[in-house]
C-alpha cells in the first residue's frame, strides 16, 4: 500500500511540474492534498484495533450468535448479558463497577468501562485511583460481535480481561452463542 501511495505522489508531482504556473509552495500543497485524499481511500481504519502481539492486558475475539439470529436479536441478547453483569464485580475483578459510555447499539457498536477497586495495586501503582478497562463491541449485520477488552495502562492486567470475558461469554453460551475461550 505504501508503494501505491508513493507512486501516486510521484504521478501527482510529474503532472504538476508540467504546469509552470504553480510556484513550489502551491505544487507541494497540491501533492500533499492528493496524497492525503489517496491515503484516506487506500488505508481504511479498523473499527476495533488489534491487540499488540504478546499483550498480557488486551484480548480480541469474536462472539457468534446462534444460527439464524438477526442483528436485532443478537443486540438484545448481548444487552441482556451486559446489563446482568454485577456492578460489584465478580471473581475479584471490576469491584468498582461498570458503565455503558457509548451506547450506539442501534448502529452496531458500544463501549463499556470497567473499574477496579482501590486495592494495594491501585494505591501503589496508580496513585490511589482505580484502574479502568475498556470493552469495545462491534456488531455486524449478521449479528456477529467483534470484541476487544483492554486495560488502559500497564503491561499486564493480572487476568482481569480474561475473567470478564469468560463471565460474559458463559452467559452468552448458555443462550446458544459460540464463544471461544478468551486468550491473550
Amino acid at each position: 500500500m505504501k508503494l501505491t501511495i508513493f507512486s501516486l505522489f510521484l504521478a501527482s508531482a510529474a503532472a504538476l511540474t508540467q504546469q509552470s504556473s504553480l510556484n513550489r509552495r502551491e505544487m507541494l500543497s497540491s501533492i500533499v492534498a492528493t496524497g492525503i485524499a489517496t491515503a484516506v481511500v487506500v488505508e481504511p481504519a479498523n473499527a476495533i484495533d488489534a491487540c499488540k502481539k504478546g499483550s498480557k492486558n488486551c484480548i480480541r475475539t469474536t462472539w457468534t450468535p446462534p444460527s439464524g439470529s438477526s442483528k436485532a436479536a443478537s443486540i438484545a441478547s448481548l444487552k441482556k448479558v451486559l446489563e446482568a453483569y454485577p456492578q460489584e464485580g465478580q471473581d475479584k475483578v471490576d469491584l468498582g463497577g461498570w458503565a455503558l459510555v457509548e451506547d450506539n447499539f442501534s448502529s452496531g457498536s458500544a463501549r463499556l468501562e470497567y473499574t477496579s477497586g482501590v486495592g494495594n495495586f491501585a494505591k501503589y501503582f496508580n496513585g490511589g485511583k482505580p484502574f479502568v478497562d475498556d470493552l469495545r463491541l462491534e456488531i455486524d449485520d449478521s449479528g456477529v460481535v467483534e470484541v476487544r477488552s483492554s486495560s488502559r495502562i500497564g503491561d499486564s492486567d493480572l487476568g482481569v480481561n480474561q475473567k470478564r470475558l469468560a463471565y460474559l461469554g458463559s452467559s452468552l453460551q448458555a443462550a446458544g452463542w459460540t464463544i471461544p475461550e478468551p486468550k491473550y
Side-chain angles (χ1 to χ4, degrees):
M1 260 184 242
K2 290 180 182 177
L3 180 60
T4 304
I5 292 171
F6 181 70
S7 46
L8 286 169
F9 270 115
L10 290 178
S12 298
L16 288 172
T17 54
Q18 293 173 355
Q19 300 174 2
S20 61
S21 63
L22 295 177
N23 66 33
R24 280 189 256 163
R25 179 174 286 165
E26 290 169 332
M27 187 183 329
L28 182 59
S29 293
S30 181
I31 292 169
V32 170
T34 303
I36 291 170
T38 303
V40 170
V41 173
V42 175
E43 298 279 350
N46 290 332
I48 296 182
D49 295 329
C51 297
K52 292 179 187 173
K53 187 173 182 155
S55 172
K56 293 294 183 195
N57 70 348
C58 179
I59 298 175
R60 180 121 191 304
T61 189
T62 302
W63 294 342
T64 307
S67 180
S69 295
S70 67
K71 181 178 181 177
S74 294
I75 290 171
S77 178
L78 187 60
K79 285 175 86 171
K80 181 179 177 184
V81 167
L82 293 170
E83 291 167 357
Y85 193 86
Q87 276 293 337
E88 64 279 0
Q90 51 81 31
D91 198 15
K92 299 181 183 177
V93 301
D94 303 326
L95 302 176
W98 60 271
L100 178 62
V101 293
E102 290 178 20
D103 183 349
N104 299 315
F105 280 107
S106 59
S107 62
S109 68
R111 185 172 67 86
L112 294 92
E113 289 180 351
Y114 292 84
T115 308
S116 72
V118 183
N120 286 334
F121 277 106
K123 284 179 187 171
Y124 299 119
F125 297 110
N126 203 31
K129 296 178 277 183
F131 293 101
V132 179
D133 295 345
D134 294 298
L135 176 65
R136 293 187 180 276
L137 307 166
E138 294 284 335
I139 305 103
D140 71 15
D141 289 338
S142 66
V144 173
V145 182
E146 293 297 325
V147 180
R148 183 178 195 266
S149 187
S150 63
S151 301
R152 290 188 183 172
I153 62 170
D155 293 330
S156 174
D157 66 7
L158 305 174
V160 170
N161 286 294
Q162 193 172 36
K163 288 178 183 179
R164 179 184 309 115
L165 292 181
Y167 185 95
L168 294 169
S170 67
S171 297
L172 289 169
Q173 278 181 322
W177 288 59
T178 301
I179 309 292
E181 180 183 340
K183 294 183 180 180
Y184 293 96

